[in-house]
């Protein structure tokens, strides 16, 4: 396969890339076990793209069951050096209302018990620098692509990665807010750190599905609201991805 321009990891609500041409499915074996699903390769706007559904194409994997190491390893082994992660999140900060598309620049990891590193276990132990967890160049390209596509992306914000699959209590969200989190999601880590360990440029577009618990009023979080917001917000992603690919 020729060089890969971009790998996309699709989150909740993003299970395939429509309009992909020359599609092939790759069942990749990795030293860390199988990825969430077959990796799909194809051509979009003349660019070589890989796509992987993080939860599996039928959304069978809970956030703590995802083989993050297998996923990143598989994409890297197929030639990916740039990864765009799409993650659904709850909005905490007032700049992050439902349906917003956010390009975070920081994160805090509250997950536990996940296989979170390639280091150790016989591999060399390296302590990668994660001061800036998202790649500056890919973030800038994404924000430019948003402007080109006429989309109002939110630039920056801190993503708090929680264990899930349950949503948070209001007290937990108050704690996250006090810690400086603007967004809360369940899949941002260890993915970002693993990408860095493999030397891949990684950036996230976070899709705000709901106000996090206790934010934006007193309403309960309903699946109907979440799915409705996701549908509206993810409809804007193809234009963003097109503009991003055109910029490479
Ligand atoms: N919390 C954590 N993860 C999420 C949420 C939330 O409110 N919404 C979508 N993913």
């Amino acid at each position: 396969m020729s060089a890969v321009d971009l790998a996309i990891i699709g989150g909740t609500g993003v299970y395939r890339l429509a309009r992909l041409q020359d599609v092939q499915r790759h069942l990749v074996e990795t030293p860390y076990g199988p990825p969430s699903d077959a990796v799909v390769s194809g051509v979009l706007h003349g660019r070589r793209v890989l796509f992987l559904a993080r939860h599996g194409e039928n959304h069978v994997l809970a956030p703590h069951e995802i083989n993050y190491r297998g996923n990143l390893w598989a994409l890297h082994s197929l030639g990916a050096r740039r990864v765009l992660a799409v993650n659904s999140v709850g909005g905490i900060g007032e700049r992050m209302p439902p349906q917003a598309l956010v390009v975070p620049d920081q994160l805090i990891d509250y997950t536990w018990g996940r296989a979170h590193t390639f280091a150790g276990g016989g591999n060399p132990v390296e302590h990668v620098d994660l001061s800036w967890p998202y790649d500056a160049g890919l973030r800038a390209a994404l924000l430019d692509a948003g402007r080109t596509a006429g989309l109002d992306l939110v630039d920056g914000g801190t993503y708090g990665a929680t264990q899930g699959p349950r949503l948070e209590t209001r007290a937990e969200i108050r704690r996250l807010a006090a810690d400086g989190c603007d967004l809360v999601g369940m899949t941002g880590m260890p993915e970002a750190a693993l990408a860095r360990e493999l030397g891949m440029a990684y950036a996230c577009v976070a899709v705000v599905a709901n106000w996090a618990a206790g934010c934006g009023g007193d309403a309960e979080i309903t699946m109907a609201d979440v799915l409705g917001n996701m549908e509206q917000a993810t409809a804007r992603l193809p234009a963003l991805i097109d503009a991003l690919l055109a910029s490479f």
Side-chain angles (χ1 to χ4, degrees), residues 29-35 67-74 115 117-121 123 194 197-198:
E29 287 181 22
T30 84
Y32 305 96
N67 182 0
Y68 295 93
R69 292 193 302 182
N71 288 353
L72 274 296
W73 189 273
T117 180
F118 295 108
N123 292 330
L194 292 167
E197 285 190 359
L198 291 177

Side-chain angles (χ1 to χ4, degrees), residues 12 63 87-92 159-168 173 176 183-187 207-213 221 226 230:
T12 301
N87 303 76
S88 85
V89 295
I92 299 176
Y159 179 117
T162 55
Q163 182 72 354
R166 66 169 177 83
L167 299 173
E168 297 71 31
I173 293 297
L176 264 65
L183 303 166
V184 56
M186 301 171 190
T187 52
V207 181
V208 182
N210 54 279
W211 283 115
I221 302 170
V226 166
M230 288 298 293

Side-chain angles (χ1 to χ4, degrees), residues 27-161:
L27 294 169
V28 186
E29 287 181 22
T30 84
Y32 305 96
S36 297
D37 214 316
V39 178
V40 174
S41 70
V43 178
L44 197 56
H45 284 279
R47 307 281 190 249
R48 305 243 11 135
V49 175
L50 300 178
F51 179 83
L52 177 60
R54 185 186 287 111
H55 296 273
E57 283 176 25
N58 298 316
H59 202 125
V60 286
L61 298 169
H64 64 287
E65 294 176 321
I66 292 164
N67 182 0
Y68 295 93
R69 292 193 302 182
N71 288 353
L72 274 296
W73 189 273
L75 295 174
H76 188 268
S77 72
L78 290 172
R81 296 297 177 266
R82 276 193 285 239
V83 179
L84 174 64
V86 181
N87 303 76
S88 85
V89 295
I92 299 176
E94 58 187 21
R95 291 193 307 145
M96 318 285 170
Q99 299 184 19
L101 297 178
V102 186
V103 183
D105 62 350
Q106 273 299 329
L107 67 77
I108 300 178
D109 187 7
Y110 300 92
T111 67
W112 48 270
R114 302 183 181 187
H116 64 287
T117 180
F118 295 108
N123 292 330
V125 178
E126 283 177 45
H127 304 281
V128 291
D129 177 10
L130 206 63
S131 308
W132 292 101
Y134 303 105
D135 182 77
L138 191 53
R139 280 193 76 251
L142 201 50
L143 290 164
D144 271 349
R147 282 185 279 273
T148 305
L151 299 170
D152 199 13
L153 303 186
V154 181
D155 178 1
T158 297
Y159 179 117

